[in-house]
Amino acid sequence: MTAPNHLSLEQKLAFIQMVAAADSPFSEVCRAFRISRQTGYKWRRRFRRLGLAGLADQSRRPHFSPQAAAAVWVERLRVARRKHKRWGPKKLRVWLRGQHPRARVPSASTLGRLLQQRGWSRTPLFRRRGPARAWPALRQARRPNEVWTVDFKGCFHTADGRRCDPLTVRDAYSRYGLCVRVLHGHKLATVKREFTRLFRRFGLPRRIHADQGRPWAGPGPAWLTQLSAWWISLGIRPIFSRRARPGDNASHEQWHRELKADTTRPPSANPPAQQRRLQRWLHTYNEERPHEALGLIPPAQVYCRSRRRYRGPRSPRYPKGWMARRVRPNGEIQWLGRSRFIGEAFVRQTVGLKPWRQDRWRVYFYDWLIGEIHTADLGAMRPAIYHRRHKPKVSAM
């Protein structure tokens, strides 16, 4: 038999008339119209109950779905979310059961689905698209301190089994090694303290080129972390390589190969001994070793200290008409009577909100676009995303 919906309304009415005439058995009439007996009985039953309207095509949507929540529960969930902004669906379900003990409260999964669909969840199923940012250009340095490159040397162990993962910083133009330091972990305070020492000694660069690993990059808005946000507050622009593209910072990776070959085969007895070995190697590399890219002269003869002195973070100044908000320790700001999550990278920092359209504002950290806030959204800011390009632009200074 073919599908029952292949007949027009006139053909269905002719079928009903032939059945009512009772000139032929019911099965033969169904066979003549090329439908099953079950379909024939269904049409006859609908015609007797609804008349001609019963022969029209019906919606195949089920009359009842166990996953479909009533509108009353959507409203109750909205009230619960406004009262408890940080609770998940399990906690909200317990609270709703206490408020409505005689009602059948939807399951936690249903409540979670409703939170996701209406944008009331702090962790949406899909990331709402924020404003697009141009991919950061990979700058070719033409003078000292124009670009510093930074990375962590791959992990190795000293003879006593202790882990070493040195922080390495180098000036991209002169190839001068600024730092090869064995740190105790990759904690923000430790790395920030080392960069503060470098900035006091060598001054501030214009840009710092890093990969997308921690602690300089993360999954937050515009890939910023507390460390790279601190760089921006100092007047330094971070530049990030593409994910899994070490060739974007090839010169620094080649420097790592030289360091590994000269200082880790075999490694020293312990981290302090390894650090002394690294310092001796760095002095030789900077002061004595001729570099082919520099015309066979040592990097120390090309590098000079930056004129930009380290004076600590500068306060942001946003244009007239913008609104300034200080980010709380939980990464949120208060905006239009609601808590809006901005990002952990901007904790205790001041962001600027620029009126963009009637129902949205663009959020800036200094001159760095980090996202948008929409009136219809109840929770987090929509983070800024980068345009995906096969090859980032390399521009001159």
Side-chain angles (χ1 to χ4, degrees), residues 268-380:
S268 300
N270 50 57
Q274 185 69 51
Q275 180 61 57
R276 292 191 293 270
R277 186 176 178 182
L278 292 172
Q279 286 300 121
R280 292 193 299 268
W281 176 86
L282 186 62
H283 176 81
T284 302
Y285 183 91
N286 288 335
E287 304 290 340
E288 302 176 10
R289 179 182 181 274
H291 203 293
E292 294 185 17
L294 302 176
L296 295 178
I297 61 175
Q301 297 185 21
V302 179
Y303 181 74
C304 60
R305 189 180 187 276
S306 174
R307 296 181 179 180
R308 303 177 66 211
R309 296 183 179 181
Y310 173 76
R311 295 185 174 89
R314 54 189 177 89
S315 300
R317 294 182 179 180
Y318 297 110
K320 185 177 180 181
W322 291 25
M323 301 295 292
R325 290 292 185 272
R326 186 170 177 83
V327 182
R328 299 170 177 173
N330 61 359
E332 295 180 348
I333 64 171
Q334 191 71 16
W335 180 249
L336 298 181
R338 297 176 182 172
S339 295
R340 305 283 188 169
F341 183 75
I342 302 299
E344 297 179 356
F346 315 104
V347 167
R348 297 184 177 88
Q349 302 279 3
T350 302
V351 297
L353 288 89
K354 174 184 178 182
W356 185 248
R357 293 182 181 176
Q358 184 177 2
D359 60 343
R360 68 188 64 178
W361 293 263
R362 286 203 159 177
V363 185
Y364 285 81
F365 179 65
Y366 291 80
D367 60 342
W368 203 271
L369 175 62
I370 60 175
E372 283 183 353
I373 292 180
H374 291 228
T375 305
D377 299 340
L378 295 183

Side-chain angles (χ1 to χ4, degrees), residues 85-134:
K85 298 179 181 180
R86 300 181 59 86
W87 286 13
K90 295 181 181 179
K91 293 182 176 63
L92 291 176
R93 186 171 188 269
V94 174
W95 187 84
L96 288 172
R97 288 174 60 183
Q99 296 294 314
H100 310 280
R102 297 185 179 182
R104 184 178 179 181
V105 182
S107 64
S109 61
T110 299
L111 296 178
R113 176 172 51 84
L114 293 174
L115 291 172
Q116 304 282 6
Q117 291 176 349
R118 286 156 178 80
W120 300 343
S121 176
R122 292 173 57 86
T123 56
L125 288 173
F126 57 91
R127 177 172 291 185
R128 298 187 295 272
R129 293 183 63 86
R133 286 182 54 92

